[in-house]
Amino acid sequence: KNEVEQSPQNLTAQEGEFITINCSYSVGISALHWLQQHPGGGIVSLFMLSSGKKKHGRLIATINIQEKHSSLHITASHPRDSAVYICAVTLQSMYSGGGADGLTFGKGTHLIIQP
Amino acid sequence: SQTIHQWPATLVQPVGSPLSLECTVEGTSNPNLYWYRQAAGRGLQLLFYSVGIGQISSEVPQNLSASRPQDRQFILSSKKLLLSDSGFYLCASLTGTYNEQFFGPGTRLTVL
């Protein structure tokens, strides 16, 4: 059974700080997703990774397939970045139990950026 | 680009009442569709997925059922709600070469 573990669970930082959120998983995956959930509940997909690194604006996501680990970084953090950041994986078919590429989620990291 | 519509956005229902949540998808055809639930204090969990019309698979045993009467319509139902059915329900789709996932805005269900 795959577990997706995120750390930290909660993070409070000052505006401008560099933020890192970590995600580790235990079995083979075909892709890893970073998602953002705002207080109203809606979820936005930030990145989908299968290798290497992606950058979008102030957000950077990296993945190390060998170590089964990914990080999400936020540079020059801003109060509007406050949200829950969720790591989710698409399991390789041998592990998916027939879940047709459904995601397995971490519990999320609650990020608060104070002005 | 895809858009996923869900309604209602919030719902308060008494225990024992029926439920019907609807999800429709625009901007794609023949997507894989998913229902996820996020219970209070817990992560999102896959409930059902569908790879086509009339094809439903359940990931966890529960009080709910799902149907896909049309290619871009996915419905989550219950005949009698339980307190434990409270949570945030999210519809999602997966399509295309890049296996990109799109999410609906969600429905927050409170069973009293």
Side-chain angles (χ1 to χ4, degrees):
Chain A
K1 180 184 174 184
N2 183 55
E3 297 290 339
V4 179
E5 300 287 340
Q6 284 186 240
S7 64
Q9 276 189 296
N10 298 284
L11 178 58
T12 300
Q14 293 299 120
E15 183 173 357
E17 285 189 40
F18 181 81
I19 303 299
T20 296
I21 299 171
N22 296 299
C23 175
S24 60
Y25 52 93
S26 54
V27 297
I29 66 170
S30 56
L32 183 141
H33 305 252
W34 281 103
L35 312 170
Q36 182 189 55
Q37 185 174 30
H38 280 281
I43 289 183
V44 174
S45 177
L46 299 175
F47 295 103
M48 186 179 72
L49 296 163
S50 55
S51 65
K53 176 180 174 178
K54 287 189 177 179
K55 184 176 188 292
H56 181 71
R58 294 180 294 106
L59 301 177
I60 303 166
T62 63
I63 188 168
N64 185 317
I65 296 295
Q66 287 72 33
E67 294 185 2
K68 294 185 170 60
H69 180 269
S70 175
S71 293
L72 176 69
H73 305 285
I74 305 174
T75 62
S77 59
H78 190 276
R80 64 175 175 268
D81 297 325
S82 299
V84 176
Y85 291 85
I86 302 170
C87 174
V89 299
T90 306
L91 302 179
Q92 287 179 345
S93 57
M94 68 180 79
Y95 299 115
S96 69
D101 295 326
L103 297 179
T104 302
F105 295 85
K107 291 185 179 178
T109 295
H110 293 248
L111 174 66
I112 297 173
I113 304 296
Q114 295 177 335
Chain B
S1 179
Q2 282 188 51
T3 303
I4 299 181
H5 302 280
Q6 279 186 252
W7 62 90
T10 59
L11 190 59
V12 180
Q13 290 284 99
V15 169
S17 64
L19 174 74
S20 180
L21 301 181
E22 187 162 344
C23 167
T24 58
V25 183
E26 288 182 359
T28 187
S29 59
N30 197 33
N32 283 3
L33 295 176
Y34 308 86
W35 278 111
Y36 296 100
R37 177 173 62 198
Q38 186 176 41
R42 305 187 67 176
L44 283 154
Q45 182 183 35
L46 178 63
L47 300 177
F48 298 96
Y49 66 91
S50 171
V51 299
I53 295 172
Q55 300 179 64
I56 306 295
S57 297
S58 173
E59 284 293 292
V60 294
Q62 58 206 295
N63 182 44
L64 303 168
S65 61
S67 61
R68 187 167 176 178
Q70 300 180 43
D71 181 47
R72 286 172 280 183
Q73 184 184 30
F74 202 24
I75 297 172
L76 185 70
S77 304
S78 172
K79 291 183 180 177
K80 286 187 178 181
L81 284 168
L82 305 172
L83 287 174
S84 58
D85 293 322
S86 293
F88 182 69
Y89 289 83
L90 202 62
C91 178
S93 72
L94 182 147
T95 55
T97 308
Y98 303 105
N99 280 352
E100 194 170 0
Q101 291 248 348
F102 294 87
F103 296 90
T107 295
R108 191 161 299 281
L109 171 66
T110 303
V111 182
L112 301 175

